[in-house]
Amino acid sequence: MSDSPSAPAPGLLSLDEALSRLLAAGAQCVIQQADDVATLQALGRVLAEDVRSGLDVPPADNSSMDGYALRLADVPAAGVVLPVSQRIPAGVVGGALAAGTAARIFTGAQIPSGADAVVMQEQCAPVDPQSVRVDTVPAAGQWIRRRGEDIAAGATVLAHGTVLTPQAMGLAASVGRATVRVLRRPRVALFSTGDELAMPGEPLKPGGIYNSNRFTLTGLLQASGCDVKDLGIVPDRLEATRQALRVAAEGVDLILTSGGVSVGEEDHLKPAMRLEGRLDLWQVAMKPGKPLAFGAVRREDGSEALFVGMPGNPVSSFVTYLLTVAPLLRALQGRTARPPAAYALRADFDWPRPDRRREFLRVRLNGQGGLDLFPNQSSGVLTSTVWADGLVDVPALQPIARGDSVRFLPLNALLG
Ligand code: AMP
Ligand code: MG
């Protein structure tokens, strides 16, 4: 992701620069503690070890078909009839294959020594219960899965820092691992500021709105694999805000807040942060988003918890989370290796009046290989975030015409 070289939004910090500052801070605070967890419970966790295989996988040559194992030399032409000398189901180890005979064999069963091909049962015809006619001339090694063809003993199958997907859980299990060593989850304290906020279930006072950010951000943090310390809504008073920051800082890696970081706002987050730690207020050249507060809060023991204060507008905080907080959380887990996927796709819409800031439009894959635009791109319209499959990353001042190729960021990849 790089900004246009003409710096179209003077005085603002580019998103790339904001991100590199966040990642640099995150790299100083990489989580070191690790736990052994059951492989079955490890979904979404980050490996704190290299998983090596102690064995070849598969552990022995085995059949990939139901059929007959035989020696090539015994089938010089189609139509040969061979006596069936043994029956080898999966999980049973047969004896050496007697020359001039075939072994009835099933998928996954170990190839008997002496056999050098399997003929699938569809190409054989039993002549009587004790013999079979082979209606094809087999090729050497056919339908045999070789010992170690997936994994050789000693190979690293999953590297430190890998997120355990369902596939990775299966791969760890395939080399016999019942437990894996994983990083402890990032711990994140979350609170919302704003005296207009009410909780769902409460009646809405005049001038009030429901605190949707608490729910969106809790879900995002859970999707990022975090343990959330939820402090709810903090009243708009200096002492209460200071107290919330002190409570939040204990035992967490990061404090995340929404609201109260806009320029010129009468709020208590900024003075409270300055008293309880340190704070930089950034104006980031991105839309939605822009105000972003980054700092740290002192803990009782003198150490610090990182702090990110996001804008209150629901779409702004959602997009800001995906583009800045999610990468910071990856950095805290030592996961800097691969940036989220981005795709060049066709815009099936016009965007004639681009902003001076780099913009992230809510779009949807339309089934014709292109992208549709949500009609209302306002930063308060949370509907757009549920409708969308992803964001289009629009460089500052660059209009989009129908048919243009644009940079599409799938929401699920941004969260990965
Ligand atoms: P702020 O960043 O505090 O200036 O808030 C910007 C806008 O976002 C205002 O319209 C707020 O009412 C709204 N807002 C702030 N916090 C939340 C929240 N937790 N949930 C939903 N909307 C919010
Ligand atoms: Mg506010």
Side-chain angles (χ1 to χ4, degrees):
M1 298 197 196
S2 76
D3 288 338
S4 120
S6 54
L12 303 191
L13 195 63
S14 74
L15 175 57
D16 288 346
E17 176 58 24
L19 193 55
S20 72
R21 292 185 193 180
L22 287 172
L23 297 183
Q28 301 298 307
C29 309
V30 176
I31 295 166
Q32 303 295 340
Q33 298 95 316
D35 308 312
D36 289 317
V37 299
T39 307
L40 265 179
Q41 306 297 327
L43 183 65
R45 303 298 297 268
V46 176
L47 273 175
E49 61 165 337
D50 287 337
V51 174
R52 286 206 180 74
S53 179
L55 68 159
D56 288 323
V57 179
D61 291 358
N62 69 87
S63 178
S64 59
M65 283 290 167
D66 290 343
Y68 294 85
L70 42 72
R71 294 170 192 265
L72 290 177
D74 293 333
V75 191
V80 168
V81 175
L82 296 174
V84 177
S85 54
Q86 56 181 321
R87 187 174 185 278
I88 315 175
V92 168
V93 178
L97 183 69
T101 74
R104 180 73 170 118
I105 198 162
F106 298 89
T107 304
Q110 197 167 317
I111 303 293
S113 67
D116 48 19
V118 169
V119 178
M120 65 169 84
Q121 62 191 19
E122 291 82 348
Q123 295 182 331
C124 298
V127 175
D128 55 56
Q130 281 82 44
S131 57
V132 64
R133 193 183 69 232
V134 182
D135 291 330
T136 182
V137 178
Q142 75 175 30
W143 306 124
I144 296 176
R145 303 172 183 144
R146 291 296 173 194
R147 170 180 180 159
E149 76 174 26
D150 183 0
I151 299 160
T156 295
V157 293
L158 294 165
H160 190 288
T162 301
V163 179
L164 287 152
T165 57
Q167 314 84 286
M169 289 165 65
L171 191 58
S174 79
V175 300
R177 292 293 299 268
T179 64
V180 284
R181 196 149 186 79
V182 296
L183 287 185
R184 76 152 167 76
R185 296 177 185 280
R187 298 187 191 120
V188 182
L190 175 66
F191 67 82
S192 323
T193 71
D195 281 349
E196 73 276 32
L197 300 178
M199 280 301 291
E202 291 173 4
L204 211 51
K205 296 181 304 242
I209 56 162
Y210 283 121
N211 182 359
S212 58
N213 289 352
R214 182 180 187 179
F215 292 78
T216 310
L217 293 171
T218 296
L220 287 167
L221 288 167
Q222 287 170 347
S224 292
C226 300
D227 281 334
V228 181
K229 177 173 171 177
D230 184 358
L231 302 179
I233 302 167
V234 172
D236 216 0
R237 295 194 309 274
L238 181 63
E239 255 328 299
T241 309
R242 291 186 67 179
Q243 173 68 14
L245 289 171
R246 286 196 292 266
V247 170
E250 297 304 322
V252 304
D253 304 293
L254 172 68
I255 301 170
L256 191 61
T257 65
S258 79
V261 291
S262 312
V263 185
E265 180 166 333
E266 282 297 312
D267 76 272
H268 298 284
L269 195 53
K270 287 174 268 183
M273 274 302 298
R274 296 210 159 103
L275 290 162
E276 296 300 331
R278 54 197 167 84
L279 186 72
D280 275 336
L281 272 176
W282 297 339
Q283 299 299 312
V284 182
M286 66 182 284
K287 186 181 178 185
K290 185 161 119 181
L292 188 67
F294 179 58
V297 178
R298 269 188 312 279
R299 302 191 187 102
E300 244 165 45
D301 66 3
S303 62
E304 287 184 332
L306 293 176
F307 172 91
V308 176
M310 299 191 299
N313 272 310
V315 182
S316 303
S317 60
F318 177 70
V319 171
T320 301
Y321 180 97
L322 293 176
L323 298 177
T324 64
V325 178
L328 172 61
L329 288 166
R330 288 193 285 271
L332 286 175
Q333 298 171 88
R335 293 179 49 207
T336 46
R338 221 163 52 152
Y343 302 92
L345 289 180
R346 186 189 68 235
D348 287 342
F349 60 88
D350 291 302
W351 189 248
R353 283 175 296 280
D355 200 84
R356 290 158 65 83
R357 288 178 273 158
R358 181 173 167 185
E359 195 157 1
F360 295 91
L361 305 174
R362 271 73 66 214
V363 297
R364 193 182 212 178
L365 294 160
N366 62 17
Q368 284 89 53
L371 297 168
D372 289 339
L373 182 71
F374 192 76
N376 186 343
Q377 293 287 323
S378 155
S379 61
V381 176
L382 204 47
T383 323
S384 68
T385 63
V386 174
W387 181 89
D389 295 317
L391 305 173
V392 165
D393 178 1
V394 189
L397 296 176
Q398 188 170 300
I400 295 169
R402 200 171 283 272
D404 283 353
S405 174
V406 293
R407 186 165 186 264
F408 173 71
L409 310 171
L411 293 182
N412 55 7
L414 291 169
L415 262 180

